Amino acid sequence: MTTIDTGRTLVADGALRARAEAVVPGGVYGHLRVTADRGMPPSYPQFFARGSGARLWDVDGNEYVDLMCAFGPMVAGYANPVVDAAARAQLALGDALTGPGEKYVEYAERLVGTVAHADWAMFAKNGTDATSMSVVIARAATGRTKLLKAEKAYHGANPWFTPSTAGVVGSDRADIVEFDYDDLASLERAAASVEGDVAAIVVTPFRHDGFVDQHFPSAEFARGVRALADRTGAALILDEVRTTFRVDLAGAWERFGVRPDLTAMSKALANGHALSAVVGVDSLREAAASIFVTGSFWMAGVPFAAAIATLDWMVQTDGLTRMLDAGQVLRDGLQAQASAHGLGVVQTGPTSMPFLRFEDEPRLETAIAFTDAAARRGVLVHPWHNMFVSAAHTPEDIATVLERTDEAFAEVARSR
């Protein structure tokens, strides 16, 4: 077994945290913030210097096999040579110009040809942009105001959906009615409470609230959502920001035979280049054309070139299958290791996006300890967020991960 240096230091990382605190409120904010108040151990790096394939190096030179993939964007691997070559070629011609280039149209054509229900596409930069655009399109199409969403479901960092109420006023959320995920009766009650005024049902393909078991809904629920939208004239918005290209290239609810009216996509679209998309059906085309949404960088050429190359690479290398295979080997290995060390763990969520929790642990102490032990051995996991496996995780990468997580489980077991 390879000897792992568990005494790695984060000196440069600590210096950068202090510098950031002086000039940025909170230092680092949002889901990328790595601090104790976010449930992260002190061994977890905040600042990184570079990445390659499934590996990351922090600013202190420590190497990690990364099971977070930048929280999802890296689907073809860091510094993927095919994607980066396409991005460099477009950059040499220009990125943000006075108007879009041909790649903008080409990628829209490619996306419409890939996503099963898509008749058109619009673009922005972040997942929040995409979910916000979807809501506005639905309201423009229906002339209604109410949004039905699952309780605690995250759909972006705008005032409607942000998990924090700081700076949010009651009117921002006055038109949201919540239901229980995967509970069709609850959804029906929510719709009945605002009958005649439902603009959209907003739902994630699988439940991925933080800190809870993550799962796909029943086929009955998915089909019931579609039927309710059809019956009430509401738009069905599928928030695929997290699942883009990680479950099914054609759409995450194709497994149920359910196609939404609008899909919000981001993260893995361009393998780390900033891009999000809304794709939709023809009946919403006029409404989509009627709204005013814009951004000075939304039609920049480099992300579109990268996105085309990412999609080509995923198709040509059968990236989705390789990702799912790697995810299954990882999950099987983690389960066997935990059991061998007498630790009860539960793994949920899609194969390519595993969520691991320890049994009977309301305050995450063991999960944080495991994350700490793994990070000190050069593996990045997360104590309360789902992980991500990419098509760049080779069998050798997964074997390295499992060698090190076995040691991490052993350390946790000894401390209990």
Side-chain angles (χ1 to χ4, degrees):
M1 180 175 288
T2 303
T3 299
I4 303 300
D5 175 18
T6 60
R8 56 183 61 204
T9 60
L10 297 176
V11 177
D13 185 274
L16 279 174
R17 290 185 193 226
R19 288 170 58 190
E21 286 279 356
V23 292
V24 179
V28 176
Y29 46 89
H31 67 289
L32 298 180
R33 179 176 172 85
V34 177
T35 52
D37 66 296
R38 293 282 291 171
M40 303 302 292
S43 63
Y44 210 94
Q46 176 71 86
F47 290 92
F48 295 91
R50 67 186 180 95
S52 178
R55 308 283 176 130
L56 281 179
W57 287 261
D58 66 28
V59 292
D60 286 280
N62 301 309
E63 180 181 348
Y64 305 86
V65 183
D66 181 29
L67 290 175
M68 295 309 298
C69 294
F71 281 84
M74 288 302 170
V75 70
Y78 295 103
N80 180 285
V82 174
V83 176
D84 285 3
R88 285 193 300 270
Q90 181 59 46
L91 184 60
L93 301 174
D95 187 18
L97 306 174
T98 302
E102 183 178 357
K103 291 287 193 276
Y104 162 81
V105 180
E106 182 181 346
Y107 189 59
E109 292 170 338
R110 299 291 291 280
L111 206 54
V112 166
T114 299
V115 180
H117 78 280
D119 295 314
W120 51 263
M122 296 174 70
F123 302 103
K125 285 298 179 192
N126 300 292
T128 297
D129 298 333
T131 55
S132 299
M133 287 169 62
S134 298
V135 166
V136 175
I137 291 167
R139 284 173 165 164
T142 63
R144 302 171 184 172
T145 59
K146 303 299 183 184
L147 309 175
L148 307 185
K149 67 172 287 288
E151 184 181 7
K152 297 182 180 179
Y154 178 72
H155 296 291
N158 58 30
W160 302 330
F161 300 132
T162 176
S164 171
T165 57
V168 176
V169 297
S171 58
D172 291 328
R173 303 192 183 194
D175 293 316
I176 292 178
V177 181
E178 294 188 330
F179 58 88
D180 295 329
Y181 192 87
D182 200 18
D183 185 333
L184 194 54
S186 175
L187 174 62
E188 290 281 0
R189 288 193 297 271
S193 72
V194 286
E195 186 174 0
D197 196 25
V198 180
I201 306 166
V202 190
V203 65
T204 54
F206 75 100
R207 185 183 183 188
H208 52 62
D209 314 351
F211 307 95
V212 299
D213 288 352
Q214 304 181 358
H215 62 88
F216 282 98
S218 65
E220 178 188 17
F221 177 79
R223 293 167 187 158
V225 174
R226 178 70 271 175
L228 177 63
D230 291 339
R231 189 174 76 244
T232 62
L236 170 53
I237 300 171
L238 195 62
D239 176 359
E240 280 222 54
V241 169
R242 197 173 297 194
T243 55
T244 297
F245 294 167
R246 291 186 178 278
V247 174
D248 188 324
L249 299 185
W253 272 8
E254 284 294 296
R255 64 179 56 206
F256 302 127
V258 173
R259 294 178 177 175
D261 301 301
L262 297 164
T263 295
M265 308 175 74
S266 190
K267 288 194 181 288
L269 274 183
N271 199 50
H273 293 268
L275 186 67
S276 64
V278 175
V279 297
V281 296
D282 259 333
S283 61
L284 297 178
R285 184 187 297 266
E286 184 176 347
S290 73
I291 69 171
F292 184 80
V293 288
T294 191
S296 298
F297 306 103
W298 284 11
M299 298 181 187
V302 169
F304 290 113
I308 292 167
T310 299
L311 183 54
D312 284 347
W313 188 88
M314 287 291 290
V315 172
Q316 292 166 6
T317 66
D318 197 14
L320 183 59
T321 297
R322 292 187 298 108
M323 185 192 316
L324 294 172
D325 289 346
Q328 192 61 57
V329 172
L330 173 67
R331 294 175 77 132
D332 290 346
L334 292 174
Q335 199 72 38
Q337 289 174 351
S339 178
H341 291 291
L343 298 168
V345 300
V346 176
Q347 295 189 79
T348 56
T351 305
S352 58
M353 303 168 65
F355 173 71
L356 182 148
R357 69 171 175 85
F358 289 81
E359 293 178 343
D360 303 321
E361 188 191 44
R363 291 195 295 275
L364 300 178
E365 294 98 333
T366 309
I368 294 170
F370 176 71
T371 301
D372 172 51
R376 286 187 282 106
R377 289 168 170 81
V379 175
L380 295 180
V381 296
H382 204 283
W384 52 264
H385 194 287
N386 67 269
M387 296 175 280
F388 296 88
V389 178
S390 77
H393 281 87
T394 66
E396 293 75 20
D397 289 325
I398 299 300
T400 298
V401 167
L402 291 173
E403 179 180 315
R404 298 177 183 183
T405 55
D406 191 40
E407 295 180 350
F409 278 125
E411 179 181 317
V412 169
R414 287 194 300 269
S415 68
R416 297 187 75 173

